[in-house]
Amino acid sequence: VFVRALGVFGTLQPSHARGGDVVPLTVDGMLVRATMMTLREDPPDLTSPQYARSVLVRVQAFSCNYRDKGCFRTMQQVSSRRFRVIGSEFSGTVVAVGVGVASIAVGDRVIGQNAYAAPGATREESRADVGGLPTNGASREYLVLREHAVARIPECMPFVTGAAFGVNAQTAFSMLRRSGIRAGQSALVTSAGSNTSLALIYSLLRHGVRVTASTSSPSIHPALLALGVERVLSTHALRASACDAGAHLPFGPIEVVFDPFFDLHLDAGVRSLVHGGRYITCGVAAQNAHVAAQLAGQSADLAAVMRRVILYNISVIGNCLGTAADLDAALAAFADGSLTTPIDSVHTGENSHAFLSRTFLDTSRFGKVVFAYD
Ligand SMILES: NC(=O)c1ccc[n+]([C@@H]2O[C@H](COP(=O)([O-])OP(=O)(O)OC[C@H]3O[C@@H](n4cnc5c(N)ncnc54)[C@H](OP(=O)(O)O)[C@@H]3O)[C@@H](O)[C@H]2O)c1
């Protein structure tokens, strides 16, 4: 069968390049030679014992995120004759199941189940079906996945939304749960334009939390205020407040800081908190040498941060993805209409260049960028 996929070619030895007509783009200093491709593959036989607990999904839509940048980095060291299929999230329809599959049926509409070992998980649980994202090649039109690596989506969720939903909503619901924040309390959400932070903002507002947001993208201030965020400030103003111990903070007391980039906001975040506050983070901006060089000299004074953490009895919490129950709760919230996932744009056909530039390079993006197969 012929299977569509979004592939990225290596960048070494360009004189022998395959995909020679690909228009490259540069993401975080990395050359990205990507194209929609058609692969010829033998269809898997799901009646064979090796697939007893597997399902075959026909992908309808997919999206990319920070994880795909890891593949871009790898491809800087790979011959231009070789390629790798990318994509972090998908939605699709189950078209076949293995003989031992009990929880999923042909015709089910599914997305990836990104459950990651919860704190306190046993060693077996950590190894088994809680390994995080089920695939790094979510754009492959047909995916064979373990039964527990997919989650059913409600009828009311379009495939485009499904392909944009899981990682952000599951992570946001985990961070909310683990932060212990309650209705009426105040939160600061940093890098509000990131998809993780947008999922956090929607989830916090739904729980009756008062939200202050910071962003380096002035163009999204009105959209954030329209969502119900009380106050939007620039990342620059937030970080400046951390540099001056005597400075008046440009907002009121904050009980919890939610931060997707600890290397950008740890010091300002901790300084924003009340006594006994919580700072929770899920990521780092300097994920490659290019961004690390751009941010050189801007990292927090760890001793000053820890002095503050101790004197103010602050809890610092790390968070990776969420549990299966977090995704279930997020899907239920979507189904009852109390949670939304903003979609920036939907791309189709052959134009992977527009899809990737909007995903990774366009600062006016607001929400997820999705590629849909027709
Ligand atoms: N561990 C986990 O399980 C997990 C799960 C989800 C996400 N994450 C982490 O969360 C982070 C966000 O992921 P995402 O997919 O939501 O990202 P995204 O949507 O691509 O985020 C882009 C936004 O992040 C901010 N940003 C990124 N790099 C920056 C820089 N160098 N300087 C200033 N601002 C910068 C900007 O926000 P503004 O325009 O608002 O300033 C930018 O618009 C990543 O670090 C990722 O690793 C981790």
Side-chain angles (χ1 to χ4, degrees), residues 65-66 69 167-168 171 190-197 214-217 220 235 260-261 264-265 282-285 287 291 294-295 319-322 359-360 363 365 368:
N65 65 20
Y66 58 95
K69 290 187 188 176
V167 171
N168 300 311
T171 305
T190 59
S191 289
S194 71
N195 283 304
T196 308
S197 293
S214 70
T215 177
S216 61
S217 307
I220 68 167
T235 301
F261 299 104
L264 298 183
H265 311 105
C282 65
V284 53
Q287 292 188 7
V291 181
Q294 281 180 337
L295 298 176
N319 185 88
C320 195
L321 295 168
T359 299
F360 292 110
T363 53
R365 162 171 74 77
K368 283 291 284 186

Side-chain angles (χ1 to χ4, degrees), residues 260-325:
F261 299 104
F262 76 80
D263 47 349
L264 298 183
H265 311 105
L266 174 66
D267 41 7
V270 163
R271 209 176 102 68
S272 309
L273 285 167
V274 295
H275 271 271
R278 276 95 67 208
Y279 166 91
I280 182 161
T281 183
C282 65
V284 53
Q287 292 188 7
N288 60 62
H290 181 81
V291 181
Q294 281 180 337
L295 298 176
Q298 295 185 43
S299 53
D301 175 350
L302 193 59
V305 168
M306 288 310 293
R307 264 197 299 278
R308 184 91 178 182
V309 164
I310 292 164
L311 284 175
Y312 280 69
N313 279 312
I314 286 168
S315 303
V316 176
I317 305 168
N319 185 88
C320 195
L321 295 168
T323 61

Side-chain angles (χ1 to χ4, degrees), residues 166-181:
V167 171
N168 300 311
Q170 197 161 7
T171 305
F173 267 54
S174 171
M175 291 174 83
L176 236 84
R177 173 175 55 76
R178 298 187 58 215
S179 74
I181 198 160

Side-chain angles (χ1 to χ4, degrees), residues 25-331:
L25 59 155
T26 305
V27 176
D28 289 352
M30 300 175 285
L31 196 63
V32 181
R33 300 176 59 239
T35 186
M36 290 308 298
M37 43 179 54
T38 306
L39 309 171
R40 191 179 178 151
E41 293 185 341
D42 291 334
D45 175 10
L46 260 70
T47 61
S48 100
Q50 78 177 104
Y51 294 125
R53 303 293 305 276
S54 298
V55 300
L56 178 63
V57 178
R58 177 166 187 194
V59 170
Q60 306 281 354
F62 68 89
S63 67
C64 293
N65 65 20
Y66 58 95
R67 292 171 60 93
D68 296 284
K69 290 187 188 176
C71 174
F72 301 161
R73 192 174 59 229
T74 306
M75 297 316 273
Q76 307 305 296
Q77 308 302 327
V78 169
S79 156
S80 55
R81 293 164 183 269
R82 296 176 56 201
F83 69 89
R84 204 185 255 191
V85 173
I86 63 166
S88 289
E89 293 195 75
F90 67 89
S91 59
T93 311
V94 175
V95 291
V97 297
V99 290
V101 170
S103 61
I104 298 288
V106 170
D108 282 351
R109 302 165 73 252
V110 295
I111 58 174
Q113 170 52 272
N114 313 303
Y116 188 71
T122 64
R123 191 180 274 217
E124 283 66 35
E125 284 168 335
S126 314
R127 275 208 215 103
D129 293 312
V130 285
L133 270 67
T135 177
N136 292 322
S139 67
R140 194 177 289 267
E141 203 174 358
Y142 287 90
L143 293 171
V144 179
L145 299 166
R146 286 163 61 80
E147 135 180 55
H148 293 295
V150 299
R152 261 194 302 272
I153 56 174
E155 277 305 314
C156 61
M157 179 180 277
F159 282 123
V160 161
T161 306
F165 186 80
V167 171
N168 300 311
Q170 197 161 7
T171 305
F173 267 54
S174 171
M175 291 174 83
L176 236 84
R177 173 175 55 76
R178 298 187 58 215
S179 74
I181 198 160
R182 297 188 304 276
Q185 291 190 319
S186 291
L188 168 65
V189 181
T190 59
S191 289
S194 71
N195 283 304
T196 308
S197 293
L198 286 174
L200 280 162
I201 289 169
Y202 277 98
S203 309
L204 287 163
L205 292 172
R206 173 180 171 271
H207 277 83
V209 174
R210 303 170 59 190
V211 177
T212 294
S214 70
T215 177
S216 61
S217 307
S219 63
I220 68 167
H221 285 217
L224 292 169
L225 292 170
L227 293 182
V229 167
E230 281 190 357
R231 196 179 299 102
V232 183
L233 58 147
S234 73
T235 301
H236 179 75
L238 177 69
R239 297 190 64 174
S241 73
C243 298
D244 179 359
H248 178 69
L249 293 174
F251 44 81
I254 297 289
E255 269 98 6
V256 182
V257 173
F258 294 88
D259 182 12
F261 299 104
F262 76 80
D263 47 349
L264 298 183
H265 311 105
L266 174 66
D267 41 7
V270 163
R271 209 176 102 68
S272 309
L273 285 167
V274 295
H275 271 271
R278 276 95 67 208
Y279 166 91
I280 182 161
T281 183
C282 65
V284 53
Q287 292 188 7
N288 60 62
H290 181 81
V291 181
Q294 281 180 337
L295 298 176
Q298 295 185 43
S299 53
D301 175 350
L302 193 59
V305 168
M306 288 310 293
R307 264 197 299 278
R308 184 91 178 182
V309 164
I310 292 164
L311 284 175
Y312 280 69
N313 279 312
I314 286 168
S315 303
V316 176
I317 305 168
N319 185 88
C320 195
L321 295 168
T323 61
D326 289 322
L327 182 59
D328 288 347
L331 287 167

